[in-house]
Every structure is written in C-alpha cells, then in structure tokens.
Amino acid sequence: MSITRRNFLKTTAVAAMALPTIKVGALGAVAAGDKLNAALIGCRNMGWGDLTDFLVNPDTECVALCDIDANVLNERAEELVKMGRKKPDLYGDYRKMLERKDVDVVIIGTPDHWHCLQMVDACAAGKDVYVEKPAANSIAECDAMTAAAKKYQRVVQVGQQQRSSGHWKQMVEYLRGGALGTVGRVHIWGNFNYAAVPPKPDADVPAGVDFETWLGPTPARTFNPQRFHGLWRMFWDYGGGLMTDWGVHLLDMGLWGLNVKEMPNKIVATGGKFYYPEGMHETLDSQTVSYLFDDCIMSWEHNAGVQTGPYNRDYGVLFKGTNGTLVADRENWEVIPEQDGNRGPKTPVMKIGADHQDHKIHLRNFIDCVKTRNFETACTIENGSLCAKYAHLGNIAARLNAALVYDDVAKSFVGAPEANKYLKPAYRAPWKFPNIS
C-alpha cells in the first residue's frame, strides 16, 4: 500500500487518544522451516540496518513498516520490493501494527525516548523484540522493560552486536585466562565530531512528518532540524549523547571483560560544554566518569567535536594489567607487554583482527532464539539494561558534577535527592509510564 500525507496524519492522530487494549499473544516455538514475520518501527537508519540484516536470512519476512515520516515509509517499502521481498503494509501508529496476529517479532529502531513504550507494548501483544541500544533513555525505563520481558515471557535481543563478535569474544577469553595479570584499571573513550551540534533556527515541520507523534511522551517543542534526524541524541529528552550512543557498546566490553554484572560502588563524574559552548547540544561535549569497584576502577571519557584518541583510536577500551596493556576497538585488539627488566616482556605481543560479521550474527542469534524459545540471547534485556544504567549513571553524575552511590534495590541514589529526579521521566499526556505489575 502507498501512504499519503493526509492518510498518514489521519492514522497517527490516534496517538492523542487513550491507548487501545492490546491482547497478549501466545506465540510458541516456531518450527525450524517456518518463516518469522517481522514488523519494523523506526525505518530510517539503524532500524533499517537491523531489518536488512534480519532479511539476509531466508526464513524471514517483513510484513509491516511503521514510521512517523511518510516519505521514509514509502522509500523503504520500495526498497524491499527491489530486494525481491513482498511490499509491506505501512503504519504511522505502531499500536495499530501490534494488533496484527501475523507479526512474530518487532524490531525497534526509533529514538531512545520511544524504546520503553514500544518494547513493553510489543511484549504485551505477544511479540518477541529486537530493540536498539541503549535499551532506554532512563534508568526507570530500563527496569520497566526488564520487568515486561519477564512478565510476558518474550525473547528480547538488545542491539549491542559486539556481544556476537568473534574478536571481542576472544578478547574476553584472553582476559579470563589471566595472561594480562591483575587488572586494576579499565579506561574507555569515545571522540566524535558529530556530537557537537551547531545552532540553527526553528523551522516548519517537513511535509509528511508527524512531529507530534515523534515527540510522544516528551515535552511539547517547536520543530528544529538539529533536534530531529540523528542529532536528537544530543538532547536530554531524547538521548544521552556519546555516553548512551557509544558508551553502552564500549562500557559493555569493559563490564564483560571484568565480569561485572552489578552496579558500581560509586560513580564520580564531571563535564561541561567546553569545546563548543555556543552549540545547541544539551549533552556535555567534554566528560569524564569513574566507576569504582572493590578491586578495580573503570573510567570513561569523551570529547565531542574532535576525532582523535589514545593509541590513534577515535574510540576504544583499555585493560591495564600487571603483565601488559590490552587495547581494543571494532577493528582489532592488541596486547602491549610490560617489561620485566632484563627478562623481557611479561606476556607475548598479540594482535587479533575483526571479521565484521557481528551484526549479521547478532540478528541470526535473535532468530534462532525466537524459534527455540531461548531467552538467553547474545545480549539480553538484562544485560542491555545494565549497560544503559551505567551510561545514565555517568550522565547524571556529570550533570551534577558529583560523586554518587546508586542503590539498585531501592531504586534511588543514597543521600542525593537532587540526583533522583533524573531516574524517571515525566511522560506527557496522554502517554503513560508503563506500570508492570
């Protein structure tokens, strides 16, 4: 079906009404030879990349696309036909799409402020979910999503594809083997030009865009192109800057390497808009965060608007051990030995390259887990939420220039009421924060 601007806006106008009742589905194990029918919410960038790698597999199909931009919807539908796939049905309201009984899995590639509602509603509708990182735009939303997956017994994969990468897995195995000695520090960094946003005046909403639905549960705003496609990540209502864009990927590797699955003992952070104080971005263009554990410290730093970093890597993860230093990014990881006086290096020099198949493998893992009802995907919602929480903790501490302790049982900061206001967003009516009971 082709979708016109008038029909598109008419369809999405229901976003201003009360949420419809979504019946819980009963999808069981899918036979190995059966095709999985997917629906994609958010079709422009990463969501489209997720869908195309999903469709590399012959046991898959796309039956529906949903987006707030009618232009994107029509373009993506045409691309699917050119790929030899069926032309999908098109939607402006994801809730209408979730009512379909033939949708097995939902891929969520929307801006971060939409992840929680869409994932919870998809789980309640009996769909399995592939949701892009970061899992959510707040700590409370991470908890709601984890609870929804458990309540509705849905298979969930978070789009942290490095968990499916061979060379990252080899890195973790190397660290587990102890050759690096005692690791006392992990340092992580990300430096990217795109994260400093120059100012532009407000503009008219582009034709075909339902901006009211794009805003969703966030506060009402005028339209500005710098807060829209892609750059929305640099505004607190919609994203968390480099900490949540790259941080969840790289913090995940640090936590995985250290085998940490709990909250840190303390978070200490600072930052500001130092490089580009005149920029529109609300997120901090210069930021440093330290996570303290019993026997180790893990630190994060980013610099927005610049693009160089340690070891000639724009981004990376460093493990400092008593026998050597391991440095890693998506291209490779290498070991730089410590020297033991006249005895020479304490551990051999190593360098392991990547095969860059991790994203396709990650989607295939999701497909296999859905078919076998295996809830232990390569990146579960529990793991995705853990990494997102670490990123949000770093942002909260940096916004306050504070040292904080977060109690993940009480769901609050210890002795820091000024930090608690950042834990849960206030949803704009008629949208309601999910209550998972």
Side-chain angles (χ1 to χ4, degrees):
M1 62 179 279
S2 181
I3 188 164
T4 65
R5 171 175 164 78
R6 178 179 297 176
N7 289 337
F8 178 79
L9 296 179
K10 182 178 179 181
T11 301
T12 56
V14 297
M17 304 177 187
L19 286 168
T21 300
I22 300 175
K23 296 181 179 179
V24 177
L27 179 66
V30 180
D34 289 348
K35 285 195 174 185
L36 282 183
N37 288 335
L40 171 64
I41 311 173
C43 305
R44 187 171 175 270
N45 281 335
M46 201 62 210
W48 181 248
D50 293 335
L51 178 64
T52 52
D53 275 352
F54 178 85
L55 292 176
V56 164
N57 301 278
D59 53 344
T60 61
E61 192 58 79
C62 175
V63 297
L65 298 176
C66 179
D67 202 282
I68 55 86
D69 191 332
N71 306 296
V72 171
L73 275 177
N74 287 321
E75 289 172 6
R76 294 310 194 199
E78 291 174 5
E79 289 182 56
L80 285 175
V81 172
K82 290 178 182 177
M83 291 164 56
R85 294 284 182 165
K86 297 177 183 177
K87 188 170 185 178
D89 293 329
L90 308 182
Y91 294 83
D93 184 342
Y94 77 91
R95 298 167 300 176
K96 289 292 184 183
M97 188 180 71
L98 291 181
E99 293 175 358
R100 293 179 57 143
K101 303 299 183 185
D102 62 338
V103 171
D104 301 313
V105 301
V106 173
I107 299 171
I108 299 173
T110 51
D112 303 350
H113 66 283
W114 266 115
H115 288 185
C116 180
L117 275 176
Q118 291 167 345
M119 183 269 194
V120 170
D121 285 347
C123 288
K127 318 302 183 186
D128 296 311
V129 180
Y130 186 101
V131 60
E132 259 309 319
K133 61 78 199 167
N137 199 37
S138 70
I139 288 175
E141 288 173 318
C142 287
D143 291 332
M145 294 167 74
T146 302
K150 183 177 181 180
K151 176 179 179 179
Y152 298 110
Q153 288 294 286
R154 306 323 307 166
V155 175
V156 179
Q157 177 86 292
V158 181
Q160 293 171 212
Q161 65 270 14
Q162 290 174 179
R163 284 269 169 167
S164 294
S165 167
H167 92 290
W168 288 107
K169 289 180 180 179
Q170 288 174 304
M171 181 200 77
V172 172
E173 290 172 2
Y174 178 85
L175 290 167
R176 295 280 193 276
L180 207 62
T182 300
V183 175
R185 173 181 290 278
V186 177
H187 182 59
I188 307 168
W189 66 95
N191 302 313
F192 296 96
N193 285 325
Y194 72 90
V197 182
K200 281 187 179 180
D202 286 352
D204 293 334
V205 177
V209 171
D210 179 5
F211 186 59
E212 176 64 22
T213 298
W214 187 92
L215 289 171
T218 67
R221 292 293 300 265
T222 54
F223 179 83
N224 190 291
Q226 301 294 71
R227 292 195 303 267
F228 195 44
H229 285 326
L231 296 177
W232 52 262
R233 292 175 175 85
M234 308 310 152
F235 299 88
W236 295 120
D237 286 335
Y238 323 123
L242 287 176
M243 272 239 72
T244 56
D245 194 22
W246 273 89
V248 290
H249 282 305
L250 300 175
L251 291 169
D252 188 18
M253 297 300 97
L255 295 170
W256 196 12
L258 291 173
N259 199 25
V260 170
K261 300 177 182 178
E262 307 293 338
M263 293 292 102
N265 296 336
K266 182 182 289 187
I267 312 100
V268 182
T270 189
K273 289 175 64 174
F274 302 137
Y275 288 117
Y276 298 95
E278 75 286 356
M280 273 189 70
H281 52 281
E282 296 172 349
T283 53
L284 309 179
D285 59 28
S286 310
Q287 187 166 327
T288 299
V289 183
S290 293
Y291 303 92
L292 280 66
F293 305 103
D294 289 340
D295 56 359
C296 182
I297 183 171
M298 183 172 76
S299 57
W300 160 271
E301 72 166 79
H302 74 242
N303 301 285
V306 298
Q307 192 105 351
T308 57
Y311 297 88
N312 292 318
R313 299 170 189 251
D314 302 344
Y315 66 92
V317 182
L318 177 152
F319 295 85
K320 177 67 92 174
T322 51
N323 293 340
T325 300
L326 188 154
V327 185
D329 61 20
R330 289 182 175 177
E331 297 301 318
N332 57 62
W333 61 270
E334 62 179 316
V335 174
I336 304 164
E338 288 286 319
Q339 297 298 315
D340 189 10
N342 295 329
R343 298 179 183 177
K346 291 185 176 182
T347 189
V349 173
M350 292 187 66
K351 192 164 187 177
I352 305 295
D355 62 11
H356 302 294
Q357 297 301 306
D358 50 327
H359 195 256
K360 289 182 174 64
I361 295 170
H362 207 55
L363 269 298
R364 184 65 233 182
N365 172 260
F366 174 61
I367 293 167
D368 292 339
C369 287
V370 168
K371 288 193 170 189
T372 60
R373 309 314 298 159
N374 178 6
F375 299 101
E376 291 299 316
T377 57
C379 186
T380 62
I381 187 59
E382 289 82 6
N383 185 72
S385 292
L386 176 74
C387 304
K389 285 182 178 183
Y390 265 76
H392 291 309
L393 289 172
N395 272 337
I396 294 169
R399 292 174 77 175
L400 296 171
N401 285 301
L404 300 173
V405 175
Y406 180 68
D407 186 337
D408 202 27
V409 176
K411 306 299 179 187
S412 65
F413 289 97
V414 178
E418 70 278 9
N420 288 331
K421 68 179 181 179
Y422 294 112
L423 291 174
K424 181 179 179 180
Y427 277 17
R428 181 172 61 117
W431 304 101
K432 297 180 180 179
F433 193 93
N435 180 22
I436 311 298
S437 57

